[in-house]
Amino acid sequence: MSASTYAYLTRCIPAISVLGVLFLLFVSLIVAPNTKQDGSRLGAAAATSQLVLAVYTLFIHIAPVLFPARLCWAIGDVMKRMKESVAVAEAYKKQTLEKGEAASSLKFVIIIPAYKESVETMEETLKVLGSHWQARSAYHIYLAMEAKEEHSDKKAANLIRAFQSSFYRMSYTIHPFGIPGEAQGKSSNESWAAKQAFKDYANASKGEVIMTTMDSDTHLSARYFSQVAQYHHRFPETSAETIYVPPIVFDRNIHEVPLPVRTSDMIWAGAGISNLYDGSNICIPTSVYSLPMVLAENVGGWDTGPDAIGEDMHMYLKCFFALSGNLNVKVVYAAASQCDVSSDGTGFSGYVDGLKARYKQALRHMWGSLDTGYAIRQTISMFERRRRMSFGASPDLLDTVLHTKHLLVNAISAVCSPNGAALPTPIIKCTPPSPQATRHPQPFPHAYNKPIHFRNLCTLLNSLFEAHFVPVHLALILATTTIYDLLAGASVPHHLALALRISGLCRFAGWSLICVYFYRYAQYHHLCLSLREQEMREAGLLDECDEGKQHEQRSDGYSRRLFGPLGGVAEAGLFFIGGFLFGSIPACQAVLSHVFTERLAYQVSLKPSFMKVLENVDQKTG
């Protein structure tokens, strides 16, 4: 089997599973009722298919119960530890400042991808980061721009001139358009900026450099970086193998978006929170995460192919399999503040535009199901790597052989390459790295010294099944069996009817638990908002919002009201609409599209313009 065929088949596994479910439904609900149960081969097969459908229907309905139950537990644990972390972060800040030293020996490389993002959005983000007490001593900001965006270099240069005094250092990179094999998106921009960062810190201790990636509209607390620094120094033996993951919260414009968008984003935030409880070893990041530069470089940096469109999960998986499942995870109890996708339009047309924008974002999220195929390929490669070691090759010998191979490949590629390296300018740092170096990273010694962590591997695969299979399978089974139950009535086979009744009870239990989660999320939202407001007040940024203080929407994006006028009744009762519109449908479209292509036309999601918000506020009050 060729490598391309192997990659194609593994990427199509979610689509194949969908076709398998459709075939099972067809045989069970169409073929079986029209066959005679007379002991013939056809009749026996049909009866068996109904039994299989009944069992799988019960199995697939376990997730709608276990997921919200785990979610309710996790969000309570996150809130508890978030409250405790505030005092610890303040003590760390006081102790550091009293010593008269920099925040720590750590430097934070913060990569902010910015393709067609508004200047106002980026200014807000940089203003928040620049207000942190450790920003001038430790933050190196990389604005990861895209050459396809006209005048992106001027935009970045202007931002640097405006904010460079607030940070330890600021740089920007311009990712070239049209590199063969690359897919446009966040991961490509991050990869280009990261390669420049690797060069900038070539002579530094890379174990003391932490890389953070974030969206251009994300607001991070100073406590986030303080906790990362504390974790890094408290656990030095595992610091080079650790990824840091925060929860997220939509606290900026959540009351201004359509109800289905609001509920789906609350559940999207919950999807990340559900694995952040104490003791969890698998914590897949959502948009924002940090990792040591030594780890990022040794795994080969960020991938740029079409299967890396979900760059947060993809980079997590890359590090996970490079370490044979032994990747350490530390939860950072400082929520990353984010905006819901929205539209600047008003009235019914603005409502529809908001739904369309959220669907495009959901499709991009669900396109990340390509990571299922990637995880399967990496799992097989990991076992193959361990199998080769069992034949007597020591880890040190294997490292030496592979390292020598990569050096030879890179040397030959460098000699044969027709393109020379461009000299960096004082601000722009865009030296094209060797593509071969990306495809053949130096081996990571830890990957060969540790056995496979089977428990973590099983937990990870279960998480991927929850994310990439359950939404589609559940929607298909629910829709078809409901119609069948209504049409067939009393003629539904007993075992299938029993499975459908139990499944209905599971859905009711899941609905009830989601209602509990919404109640807990309201508490979580209030806690995150109060902590963020306190920090903004201490930084002197809260006074700039006096103009909009009497309104629900403030100029810096505070959204005090979480639920609508009905007190959340509609949100709780109708959340499944958002789940179907922005979960099941785009998931089905994505996995079936993977049969024909792995590339998605990347589009930037619409985010609120706070200048526009202020204009609307003025019009309402004027």
Side-chain angles (χ1 to χ4, degrees):
M1 181 186 298
S2 66
S4 59
T5 303
Y6 171 62
Y8 174 77
L9 291 176
T10 52
R11 98 173 186 222
C12 290
I13 285 178
I16 294 172
S17 74
V18 170
L19 296 178
V21 170
L22 290 174
F23 178 76
L24 177 62
L25 289 168
F26 174 77
V27 172
S28 301
L29 306 182
I30 304 299
V31 176
N34 295 302
T35 56
K36 296 180 180 180
Q37 304 296 322
D38 56 1
S40 67
R41 184 176 180 182
L42 180 60
T48 301
S49 69
Q50 290 182 337
L51 179 60
V52 171
L53 176 60
V55 172
Y56 190 67
T57 298
L58 292 174
F59 172 76
I60 206 68
H61 275 82
I62 294 176
V65 178
L66 294 184
F67 168 72
R70 187 175 75 242
L71 177 53
C72 291
W73 164 259
I75 197 169
D77 187 66
V78 166
M79 285 191 292
K80 173 186 174 183
R81 298 181 185 280
M82 190 178 291
K83 295 174 184 177
E84 296 171 349
S85 69
V86 175
V88 177
E90 285 299 317
Y92 173 80
K93 174 183 176 180
K94 182 178 179 181
Q95 181 182 12
T96 303
L97 293 178
E98 285 178 350
K99 291 181 179 179
E101 302 172 353
S104 70
S105 58
L106 284 180
K107 289 292 182 285
F108 289 97
V109 167
I110 304 174
I111 300 177
I112 307 178
Y115 174 54
K116 292 186 177 179
E117 299 288 354
S118 71
V119 174
E120 291 82 8
T121 296
M122 299 188 66
E123 285 178 342
E124 289 280 352
T125 299
L126 292 173
K127 187 182 299 183
V128 172
L129 287 173
S131 70
H132 295 180
W133 61 275
Q134 64 270 59
R136 291 188 179 182
S137 62
Y139 293 5
H140 186 169
I141 307 295
Y142 282 83
L143 303 178
M145 314 302 288
E146 172 63 48
K148 190 177 179 181
E149 178 185 356
E150 190 176 0
H151 304 309
S152 60
D153 55 340
K154 294 181 180 178
K155 180 198 293 187
N158 289 336
L159 288 170
I160 289 177
R161 279 191 288 270
F163 289 95
Q164 59 185 351
S165 61
S166 300
F167 301 102
Y168 167 72
R169 191 176 176 187
M170 289 188 74
S171 308
Y172 74 87
T173 57
I174 305 293
H175 174 252
F177 176 69
I179 298 178
E182 287 198 357
Q184 182 185 354
K186 181 180 176 183
S187 189
S188 298
N189 286 18
E190 287 177 345
S191 176
W192 193 262
K195 290 170 186 174
Q196 183 60 48
F198 296 155
K199 294 181 180 180
D200 291 344
Y201 289 86
N203 298 323
S205 175
K206 295 184 179 179
E208 293 298 302
V209 180
I210 302 294
M211 306 187 74
T212 299
T213 71
M214 55 184 284
D215 292 343
S216 61
D217 66 315
T218 299
H219 290 183
L220 287 179
S221 165
R223 291 182 293 109
Y224 175 88
F225 297 97
S226 296
Q227 287 185 42
V228 170
Q230 289 176 287
Y231 283 139
H232 182 81
H233 291 124
R234 282 178 57 193
F235 305 98
E237 66 281 358
T238 59
S239 62
E241 307 164 12
T242 301
I243 189 169
Y244 306 94
V245 180
I248 65 172
V249 59
F250 294 96
D251 65 343
R252 311 261 282 286
N253 64 324
I254 196 166
H255 74 279
E256 292 197 334
V257 298
L259 187 149
V261 175
R262 180 160 61 247
T263 55
S264 63
D265 278 342
M266 281 191 265
I267 295 178
W268 179 254
I273 294 173
S274 66
N275 290 315
L276 300 185
Y277 56 88
D278 185 41
S280 176
N281 294 324
I282 301 298
C283 303
I284 299 175
T286 306
S287 302
V288 182
Y289 57 97
S290 299
L291 71 166
M293 180 176 282
V294 64
L295 174 59
E297 187 172 30
N298 279 319
V299 301
W302 280 258
D303 287 343
T304 59
D307 61 348
I309 189 169
E311 60 82 29
D312 41 15
M313 177 182 285
H314 190 86
M315 188 59 173
Y316 178 89
L317 294 176
K318 191 174 185 181
C319 295
F320 179 90
F321 287 107
L323 292 168
S324 298
N326 293 282
L327 177 65
N328 291 289
V329 179
K330 297 294 182 185
V331 179
V332 184
Y333 297 102
S337 169
Q338 298 194 333
C339 294
D340 303 82
V341 173
S342 66
S343 168
D344 288 335
T346 59
F348 180 74
S349 61
Y351 186 92
V352 173
D353 288 342
L355 294 178
K356 290 180 179 178
R358 184 61 180 87
Y359 186 86
K360 291 178 181 178
Q361 185 189 55
L363 181 59
R364 191 170 70 247
H365 289 161
M366 296 306 175
W367 206 266
S369 58
L370 287 169
D371 278 324
T372 292
Y374 175 78
I376 292 172
R377 294 191 296 273
Q378 290 298 312
T379 299
I380 295 172
S381 298
M382 181 175 64
F383 279 102
E384 178 63 20
R385 184 172 68 227
R386 302 303 301 182
R387 186 188 67 82
R388 291 199 307 268
M389 288 180 59
S390 67
F391 283 95
S394 67
D396 291 340
L397 176 60
L398 188 59
D399 284 348
T400 303
V401 171
L402 290 174
H403 185 52
T404 303
K405 172 188 173 184
H406 296 322
L407 288 177
L408 289 174
V409 170
N410 290 338
I412 294 173
S413 300
V415 171
C416 297
S417 176
N419 298 322
L423 294 175
T425 65
I427 294 182
I428 183 170
K429 300 184 180 302
C430 190
T431 306
S434 168
Q436 288 77 10
T438 303
R439 288 195 291 266
H440 302 284
Q442 295 183 4
F444 197 18
H446 301 287
Y448 307 104
N449 293 337
K450 293 187 177 183
I452 296 173
H453 200 304
F454 286 97
R455 179 183 174 185
N456 285 353
L457 177 61
C458 292
T459 305
L460 174 68
L461 295 178
N462 177 70
S463 297
L464 293 176
F465 181 79
E466 273 189 353
H468 298 156
F469 292 81
V470 170
V472 181
H473 291 195
L474 184 62
L476 291 175
I477 290 176
L478 176 60
T480 52
T481 55
T482 299
I483 296 174
Y484 175 70
D485 191 22
L486 292 174
L487 296 178
S491 63
V492 178
H494 173 71
H495 57 272
L496 184 56
L498 179 61
L500 295 179
R501 285 196 294 270
I502 296 176
S503 299
L505 294 176
C506 290
R507 291 194 297 273
F508 178 77
W511 178 86
S512 302
L513 287 170
I514 288 293
C515 292
V516 175
Y517 162 68
F518 282 158
Y519 172 74
R520 299 290 278 165
Y521 186 91
Q523 297 175 319
Y524 166 74
H525 174 272
H526 178 74
L527 173 62
C528 295
L529 184 60
S530 61
L531 292 176
R532 182 166 176 253
E533 186 176 31
Q534 177 183 347
E535 186 170 331
M536 298 285 281
R537 181 181 295 109
E538 293 174 354
L541 294 180
L542 203 60
D543 294 338
E544 299 180 10
C545 308
D546 287 342
E547 182 179 353
K549 186 171 291 185
Q550 69 272 28
H551 304 282
E552 294 291 342
Q553 176 67 46
R554 305 179 64 156
S555 61
D556 62 348
Y558 281 84
S559 181
R560 295 186 177 280
R561 187 178 67 200
L562 177 60
F563 293 113
L566 297 180
V569 175
E571 282 84 349
L574 302 175
F575 77 89
F576 54 86
I577 296 178
F580 187 72
L581 289 177
F582 308 122
S584 299
I585 295 179
C588 188
Q589 179 182 348
V591 298
L592 293 179
S593 297
H594 293 161
V595 176
F596 308 100
T597 181
E598 59 181 348
R599 293 185 177 272
L600 175 69
Y602 187 87
Q603 293 182 341
V604 178
S605 300
L606 292 175
K607 295 296 176 68
S609 170
F610 294 119
M611 298 303 293
K612 183 81 68 175
V613 168
L614 286 179
E615 292 175 4
N616 294 338
V617 168
D618 291 338
Q619 291 173 2
K620 292 177 182 178
T621 57

